[in-house]
């Protein structure tokens, strides 16, 4: 438990840095897809947490969000190697002082740090007035496998690459 507490504290230390980080390098569509596929369960849990006060009991996330996150989590082991590589590509701009520590962490420890960081970021960033639309979108995407959902997210973000605005938060997809 102490190890998890230390990792969670490190994650909380990195969270503000991530929000204000310098412009990170762009990710290829494949790297972005792998990172999105790995992050989907945490993002769904974070969105469910953030939107719990604004969504009614009959909305998708309060009813099915936890089950969807659990189903998508089954794909995490397959997505992890490429997601880790994408995360490490972004790591120097996230927290330059912690980059070497992050790069030398065992995978299990890195995942224990990354998972609550992702959920926490989402739970802080989702505008409450968009919860209804996000709930509807997640409900529409829910029947898809995690990989297809991640690829759709990457495709949608990548469509902005032609205009130079292929970004999701601070993460950008390289123009093809």
């Amino acid at each position: 438990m102490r190890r998890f507490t230390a990792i969670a504290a490190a994650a909380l230390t990195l969270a503000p840095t991530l929000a204000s980080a310098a412009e990170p390098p762009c990710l290829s569509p494949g790297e972005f897809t792998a990172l999105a596929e790995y992050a989907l369960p945490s993002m769904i849990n974070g969105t469910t947490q953030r939107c719990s006060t604004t969504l009614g009991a009959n909305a998708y996330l309060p009813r099915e969000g936890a089950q969807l996150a659990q189903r998508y989590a089954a794909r995490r082991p397959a997505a992890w190697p490429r997601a880790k590589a994408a995360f490490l590509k972004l790591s120097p701009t996230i927290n330059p002082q912690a980059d070497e520590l992050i790069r030398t962490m065992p995978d299990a420890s890195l995942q224990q740090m990354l998972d609550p960081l992702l959920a926490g970021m989402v739970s802080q960033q989702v505008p409450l007035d968009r919860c209804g639309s996000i709930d509807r979108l997640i409900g529409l995407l829910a029947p898809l496998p995690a990989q297809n959902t991640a690829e759709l997210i990457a495709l949608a973000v990548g469509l902005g690459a032609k205009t130079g605005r292929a970004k999701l938060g601070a993460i950008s997809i390289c123009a093809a």
Side-chain angles (χ1 to χ4, degrees):
M1 185 63 160
R2 284 184 186 190
R3 184 175 183 185
F4 177 76
T5 304
I7 291 169
L12 292 175
T13 302
L14 292 176
T17 307
L18 185 60
S20 64
E23 189 70 28
C26 63
L27 297 179
S28 72
E31 290 169 327
F32 187 92
T33 297
L35 192 57
E37 185 175 2
Y38 181 82
L40 277 171
S42 295
M43 293 172 67
I44 291 167
N45 286 332
T47 303
T48 302
Q49 179 184 349
R50 172 72 170 164
C51 295
S52 65
T53 59
T54 62
L55 295 173
N58 290 330
Y60 182 81
L61 286 171
R63 287 183 300 107
E64 304 290 332
Q67 293 88 346
L68 179 63
Q70 186 175 14
R71 182 169 60 90
Y72 280 2
R75 285 283 308 157
R76 279 182 146 182
W80 176 245
R82 290 195 71 201
K84 177 184 177 184
F87 178 71
L88 292 178
K89 186 176 182 180
L90 299 172
S91 176
T93 59
I94 293 171
N95 188 333
Q97 295 81 16
D99 183 50
E100 187 59 33
L101 173 65
I102 289 170
R103 290 181 182 285
T104 59
M105 290 177 85
D107 283 0
S109 297
L110 185 57
Q111 290 168 341
Q112 283 182 334
M113 179 191 77
L114 194 54
D115 296 347
L117 175 67
L118 292 168
M121 283 174 46
V122 170
S123 68
Q124 292 176 10
Q125 300 293 326
V126 171
L128 291 175
D129 63 342
R130 297 218 177 141
C131 286
S133 297
I134 293 169
D135 180 74
R136 184 169 177 235
L137 177 63
I138 292 172
L140 291 170
L141 293 173
L144 296 175
Q147 185 174 15
N148 292 72
T149 300
E151 286 184 28
L152 275 172
I153 293 168
L155 178 63
V157 173
L159 289 174
K162 297 194 185 321
T163 64
R165 294 187 310 259
K167 294 185 97 169
L168 185 61
I171 301 172
S172 63
I173 297 179
C174 305

